[in-house]
């Protein structure tokens, strides 16, 4: 599991930056579900061939640049770990707006695309105001489900970090047992 501790409210001015920081860390320090091992200097490509990619898809180069800067590499000799959960500690977050809720939905979508559909985005330490925003967002997504429009799922929220980590460790063990 990866843990991110947010230090400030998530609002329109900083939501894109937070999304980018979290997704970049995910790409840098974990392996994707369809990612193949790379040689020392090749682009980390996924199993899709170059002819199947869009002409403007720069994700492989972006990931290679992130990993080069961080000094990480996904090779057979030193594979990066698979990600089962991302935990966002929001203890210091006083407020979130609608842009933040969309940013969290985007992060969850990117996370599941990268690490697989069973990967969770979990939240910890929400104050009452933020919990209310999450509940209203959940209610909205539930109404979308009933109308068969594009949909999202509810948020996984824990009161304390230890519970989210313990639940994450159980998930990690379950994944390793299946492999």
């Amino acid at each position: 599991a990866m843990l991110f501790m947010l230090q400030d409210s998530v609002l329109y001015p900083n939501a894109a930056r937070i999304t980018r920081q979290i997704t970049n860390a995910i790409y840098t320090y974990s392996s994707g579900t369809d990612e193949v091992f790379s040689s020392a200097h090749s682009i980390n490509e996924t199993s899709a061939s170059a002819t199947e990619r869009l002409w403007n898809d720069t994700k492989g180069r972006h990931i290679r640049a992130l990993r080069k800067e961080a000094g990480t590499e996904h090779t057979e000799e030193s594979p990066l770990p698979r990600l089962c959960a991302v935990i966002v500690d929001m203890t210091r977050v006083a407020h979130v707006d609608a842009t933040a809720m969309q940013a969290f939905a985007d992060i969850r979508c990117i996370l599941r695309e990268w690490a697989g559909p069973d990967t969770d985005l979990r939240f910890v330490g929400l104050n009452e105001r933020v919990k209310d925003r999450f509940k209203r967002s959940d209610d909205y997504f539930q109404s979308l489900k009933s109308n068969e429009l594009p949909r999202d799922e509810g948020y996984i929220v824990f009161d304390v970090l230890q519970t989210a980590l313990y639940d994450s460790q159980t998930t990690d063990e379950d994944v390793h047992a299946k492999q």
Side-chain angles (χ1 to χ4, degrees), residues 99-153:
T99 309
M101 299 313 297
Q102 183 60 52
F104 294 140
D106 292 346
I107 291 168
R108 182 174 47 215
C109 188
I110 291 167
L111 175 65
R112 289 188 173 164
E113 178 185 305
W114 177 252
D118 295 333
T119 309
D120 292 332
L121 178 62
R122 301 172 184 177
F123 296 91
V124 175
L126 281 65
N127 66 34
E128 290 305 316
R129 188 176 190 180
V130 174
K131 279 183 185 176
D132 183 51
R133 177 67 75 170
F134 271 69
K135 179 163 178 13
R136 285 185 287 157
S137 179
D138 254 357
D139 291 344
Y140 173 73
F141 287 128
Q142 291 301 322
S143 70
L144 286 179
K145 280 185 177 183
S146 64
N147 294 331
E148 293 301 319
L149 295 172
R151 50 186 168 263
D152 200 342
E153 297 174 6

Side-chain angles (χ1 to χ4, degrees), residues 5 7 11 26 40-41 50 52-53 58 62 88 102 111-112 122 136 139 143 146 160 165:
M5 299 179 81
Q7 302 297 318
L11 304 168
I26 290 168
H41 299 291
E52 294 174 5
R53 285 193 332 255
T58 60
H62 178 66
V88 180
Q102 183 60 52
L111 175 65
R112 289 188 173 164
R122 301 172 184 177
R136 285 185 287 157
D139 291 344
S143 70
S146 64
V160 293
L165 288 170

Side-chain angles (χ1 to χ4, degrees), residues 16-31:
R17 178 183 49 82
I18 290 170
T19 301
R20 189 172 50 256
Q21 288 175 335
I22 290 174
T23 56
N24 283 350
I26 290 168
Y27 290 147
T28 304
Y29 299 107
S30 71
S31 66

Side-chain angles (χ1 to χ4, degrees), residues 67-86:
R67 289 180 178 172
K68 183 178 180 182
E69 183 178 326
T72 61
E73 195 172 15
H74 184 58
T75 62
E76 288 185 70
E77 297 82 35
S78 61
L80 292 172
R82 283 304 247 282
L83 196 56
C84 295
V86 170

Side-chain angles (χ1 to χ4, degrees), residues 6-10 89-96 125-127 130:
L6 301 183
Q7 302 297 318
D8 201 4
S9 294
V10 185
D89 184 349
M90 298 182 59
T91 306
R92 295 184 179 184
V93 175
H95 183 71
V96 295
L126 281 65
N127 66 34
V130 174

